[in-house]
């Protein structure tokens, strides 16, 4: 599913109306009906519930007027707030006002409300529909709209945002002064870029995308470069398991990592690869910590490696690692590895020799932060999985905050410059590849802000590589399934206290869910 900017969406709407001959009011009716469907799926029947619909003067307000009419027909106690006089409504919004005014009394409309009346209207509402500003906003929100947004946010009602919560920049996700806090955002045609970035992540609630009949040819003509991962896209990437399968069918993943006090990271990466369906998994680790790893792992094998005086993988490890790598379908370097000049030197020697695809994570990335030129010398583009702190070190940037201010731009530029597949972890993980394509992951939740989650992801992606997926497909499918496993685990036990082990346990459920649900 392609993600678009506000300007691209305006182009799509215009072409649909002018070239596909779909009237604007038809698009508006479809948008309102879609929003109503999602509202009732989230809340059940609105019959008897108090619903306040706040409408701006543009087409976003027109969508809201459609929702108001449908709510009234379903038996909700509807009140409509118009932020501008009728003469200022857009032509299509005027049509929807006339249709609504035929079925509800004039006394149920409030036009040009005061700040006090806004709070009075919204205070007791069960349902609030934010149809104030839409995607065209580019400047700071001013009164009376800012008063309306503040009234929405002060209410305990369930808030549905039409297309985008009012007050958000639909391209950057930044808050333009003040923004509505939505429980559900129903967006139309294509997902808007800003819904998945910056401050918007905390404002949008659940996002649902509604097809309103925009021709896909028109979307393709935009030559978009950013897409939203979806179940339908990931499903065909999951390796099939024929009846004649054996463990050799599904590859042999090698995880290189571990050090004193950090054996959990490679253990979780190994289990992540195994849970993703990999046939065989072996963890290569310094010989002094290998017994600890062996006590943690049953199904995953270990291979003790010669170690340095610091009990890390040092120069004496190189021949053994080269031999280890030669027998693996895919490799991961970094989980719990520790950092030393010797370890970095081994990686600099080894990585250009690798024939198997690989993932670089954690301490491997930190050790190589001053040696980014190594990535483009590798036989296959490596998959890098930094969190914002690690990304800042790779770029020599001042702070993770700078990275998060432009997650898509940073990811795309680094991937293209260094010929890597970059997985920038965090809320709405970004995946970028060397030709400039970018994917945004909609799965995952705040409960996953916990130690070890990245190690599980490294294992998942490595496991998919071991089973024959390309780097781009393994990164996208791995990130999506990792987030979905977290969501399924959180649905069972809640977000607070969610740990990486819970996500490991949920990986088979994520696979089954993706394969069986349409």
């Amino acid at each position: 599913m392609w993600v678009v900017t506000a300007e691209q969406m305006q182009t799509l709407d215009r072409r649909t109306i002018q070239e596909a001959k779909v009237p604007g009011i038809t698009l508006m009716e479809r948008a309102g009906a879609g929003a109503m469907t999602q509202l009732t799926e989230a809340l059940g029947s609105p019959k008897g519930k108090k619903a306040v619909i706040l409408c701006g003067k543009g087409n976003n307000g027109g969508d809201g007027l459609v929702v108001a009419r449908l709510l009234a027909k379903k038996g909700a106690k509807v009140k409509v707030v118009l932020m501008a006089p009728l003469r200022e409504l857009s032509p299509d919004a005027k049509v929807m006002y006339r249709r609504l005014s035929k079925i509800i009394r004039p006394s149920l409309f409030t036009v040009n409300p005061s700040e006090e009346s806004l709070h009075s209207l919204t205070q007791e509402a069960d349902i609030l529909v934010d149809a104030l500003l839409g995607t065209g906003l580019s400047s700071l929100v001013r009164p009376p709209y800012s008063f309306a947004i503040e009234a929405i946010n002060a209410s305990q009602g369930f808030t549905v945002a039409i297309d985008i919560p009012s007050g958000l920049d639909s391209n950057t996700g930044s808050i333009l002064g003040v923004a509505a806090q939505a429980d559900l955002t129903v967006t139309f045609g294509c997902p808007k870029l800003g819904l998945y970035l910056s401050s918007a992540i905390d404002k949008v609630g659940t996002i649902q995308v509604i097809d309103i009949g925009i021709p896909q040819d028109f979307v393709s003509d935009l030559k978009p470069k950013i897409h939203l991962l979806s179940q339908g896209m990931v499903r065909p990437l999951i390796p099939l398991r024929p009846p004649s399968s054996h463990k050799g069918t599904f590859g042999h993943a090698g995880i290189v990592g571990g050090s004193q006090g950090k054996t959990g990271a490679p253990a979780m990466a190994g289990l992540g690869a195994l849970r993703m369906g990999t046939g065989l998994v072996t963890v290569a680790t310094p010989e002094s910590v290998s017994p600890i790893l062996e006590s943690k792992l049953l199904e995953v094998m270990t291979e003790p490696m010669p170690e340095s005086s610091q009990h890390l993988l040092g120069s004496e490890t190189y021949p053994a690692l080269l031999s280890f790598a030669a027998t693996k379908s895919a490799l991961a370097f970094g989980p719990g590895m520790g950092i030393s000049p010797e370890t970095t030197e081994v990686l600099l020697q080894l990585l250009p020799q690798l024939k198997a695809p690989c993932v670089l994570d954690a301490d491997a990335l930190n050790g190589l932060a001053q040696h980014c030129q190594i990535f483009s010398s590798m036989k296959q583009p490596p998959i890098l999985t930094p969190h914002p702190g690690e990304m800042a070190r790779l770029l020599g940037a001042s702070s993770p905050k700078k990275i998060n201010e432009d997650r898509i731009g940073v990811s795309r530029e680094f991937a293209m410059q260094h010929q890597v597949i970059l997985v920038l972890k965090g809320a709405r993980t970004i995946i970028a590849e060397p030709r400039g394509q970018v994917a945004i992951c909609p799965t995952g939740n705040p409960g996953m802000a916990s130690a070890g989650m990245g190690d599980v992801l490294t294992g998942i992606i490595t496991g998919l590589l071991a089973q024959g997926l390309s780097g781009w497909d393994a990164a996208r499918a791995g990130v999506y399934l990792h987030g979905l496993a977290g969501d399924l685990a959180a649905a069972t036990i809640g977000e607070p206290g969610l740990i990486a082990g819970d996500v490991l346990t949920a990986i088979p459920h994520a696979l089954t869910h993706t394969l069986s649900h349409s």
Side-chain angles (χ1 to χ4, degrees):
M1 192 181 301
W2 294 110
V3 179
V4 300
T5 64
E7 295 75 20
Q8 289 173 322
M9 195 65 228
Q10 287 168 3
T11 299
L12 293 173
D13 282 337
R14 187 187 71 249
R15 289 193 66 189
T16 302
I17 293 166
Q18 294 177 356
E19 298 175 38
K21 306 300 182 187
V22 180
I25 55 171
T26 300
L27 294 177
M28 198 170 274
E29 285 285 0
R30 290 172 181 171
M36 184 66 190
T37 298
Q38 294 302 323
L39 195 163
T40 51
E41 281 191 15
L43 279 185
S45 171
K47 186 173 182 180
K49 292 178 178 171
K50 297 175 182 175
V52 177
I53 300 88
L54 298 99
C55 302
K57 62 184 178 182
N59 285 345
N60 192 249
D63 295 338
L65 291 167
V66 176
V67 176
R69 187 175 80 244
L70 297 174
L71 279 167
K73 285 184 173 179
K74 291 282 188 180
K77 298 174 182 175
V78 167
K79 291 185 178 179
V80 179
V81 175
L82 294 175
M83 300 302 293
L86 301 182
R87 65 178 181 278
E88 293 182 16
L89 296 184
S90 73
D92 288 348
K94 282 179 182 171
V95 171
M96 298 310 170
Y97 169 79
R98 287 194 291 271
R99 290 180 182 179
L100 175 60
S101 62
K102 290 177 181 175
I103 64 167
I104 69 169
R105 300 189 309 276
S107 61
L108 298 176
F109 289 94
T110 301
V111 182
N112 283 336
S114 66
E115 184 177 5
E116 184 181 350
S117 64
L118 280 165
H119 281 274
S120 175
L121 282 161
T122 57
Q123 191 172 15
E124 300 300 323
D126 301 307
I127 300 167
L128 292 159
V129 178
D130 164 24
L132 291 166
L133 293 170
T135 59
L137 184 69
S138 58
S139 57
L140 290 179
V141 180
R142 295 185 295 271
Y145 286 92
S146 59
F147 296 152
I149 291 170
E150 287 163 359
I152 288 171
N153 292 346
S155 170
Q156 298 299 306
F158 184 90
T159 300
V160 182
I162 300 298
D163 223 8
I164 190 168
S166 293
L168 290 178
D169 185 308
S170 59
N171 292 336
T172 68
S174 58
I175 295 172
L176 297 170
V178 61
Q181 179 70 57
D183 297 293
L184 169 66
T185 296
V186 184
T187 198
F188 309 118
C190 296
K192 315 306 182 293
L193 180 58
L195 293 171
Y196 304 94
L197 300 175
S198 188
S199 302
I201 294 169
D202 292 325
K203 291 288 185 183
V204 295
T206 302
I207 300 171
Q208 297 288 353
V209 184
I210 300 299
D211 179 8
I212 55 170
I214 305 288
Q216 281 306 300
D217 289 352
F218 294 174
V219 180
S220 300
D221 288 346
L222 294 173
K223 295 182 170 55
K225 291 245 176 176
I226 302 171
H227 62 273
L228 188 68
L229 297 180
S230 67
Q231 184 175 298
M233 198 174 87
V234 171
R235 185 186 297 114
L237 301 181
I238 296 172
L240 297 173
R241 301 185 82 82
S244 61
S245 301
H246 53 85
K247 62 188 175 186
T249 308
F250 301 109
H252 190 168
I255 311 293
V256 181
S259 58
Q260 290 186 347
K262 294 182 179 177
T263 55
M268 285 187 288
L271 288 168
L274 210 56
R275 283 292 192 188
M276 193 42 61
T278 313
L280 294 160
V281 181
T282 304
V283 176
T285 195
E287 56 191 356
S288 64
V289 300
S290 185
I292 302 167
L293 258 173
E294 286 184 25
S295 70
K296 292 181 176 182
L297 297 170
L298 296 177
E299 301 91 346
V300 175
M301 296 176 285
T302 60
E303 189 158 330
M305 290 279 148
E307 62 184 49
S308 69
S309 58
Q310 296 173 280
H311 305 293
L312 300 173
L313 300 173
S315 55
E316 52 278 277
T317 318
Y318 175 72
L321 273 180
L322 194 61
S323 174
F324 175 83
T327 61
K328 303 300 177 287
S329 315
L331 295 152
F333 295 86
M337 180 184 278
I339 306 169
S340 74
E342 280 188 74
T343 306
T344 299
E345 188 56 41
V346 169
L347 290 174
L348 291 172
Q349 280 184 274
L350 183 66
L351 293 178
Q353 310 303 319
L354 297 179
K355 293 180 181 177
C358 81
V359 179
L360 301 174
D361 183 29
D363 286 339
L365 294 177
N366 291 328
L368 295 168
Q370 305 302 315
H371 306 277
C372 291
Q373 73 282 354
I374 191 72
F375 304 136
S376 57
S377 71
M378 295 174 67
K379 290 183 170 65
Q380 297 188 51
I383 301 173
L384 278 56
T385 59
H387 58 56
E390 291 160 347
M391 192 73 230
R393 285 189 281 279
L394 286 170
L395 286 171
S398 57
S399 71
K401 184 173 183 291
K402 295 292 288 182
I403 302 300
N404 282 331
E405 284 172 0
D406 185 18
R407 288 170 58 82
I408 287 178
V410 164
S411 303
R412 175 186 276 149
E413 186 175 339
F414 192 93
M416 294 176 73
Q417 181 182 348
H418 295 286
Q419 293 298 291
V420 302
I421 294 160
L422 188 87
V423 174
L424 181 55
K425 295 182 289 197
R428 307 287 79 88
T429 291
I430 304 295
I431 308 105
E433 55 88 62
R435 294 164 301 172
Q437 291 286 330
V438 173
I440 301 173
C441 182
T443 61
N445 62 80
M448 298 176 75
S450 172
M453 295 290 179
D455 302 309
V456 175
L457 175 62
T458 292
I460 287 173
I461 295 173
T462 309
L464 290 168
L465 286 175
Q467 294 175 73
L469 269 68
S470 70
W472 179 229
D473 285 347
R476 291 184 299 163
V479 168
Y480 181 90
L481 291 164
H482 176 254
L484 178 59
D487 291 342
L488 293 173
T492 304
I493 62 174
E495 291 179 8
L498 193 71
I499 61 172
D502 301 323
V503 175
L504 280 170
T505 303
I507 291 170
H509 301 292
L511 288 164
T512 302
H513 185 279
T514 304
L515 289 168
S516 61
H517 288 67
S518 59

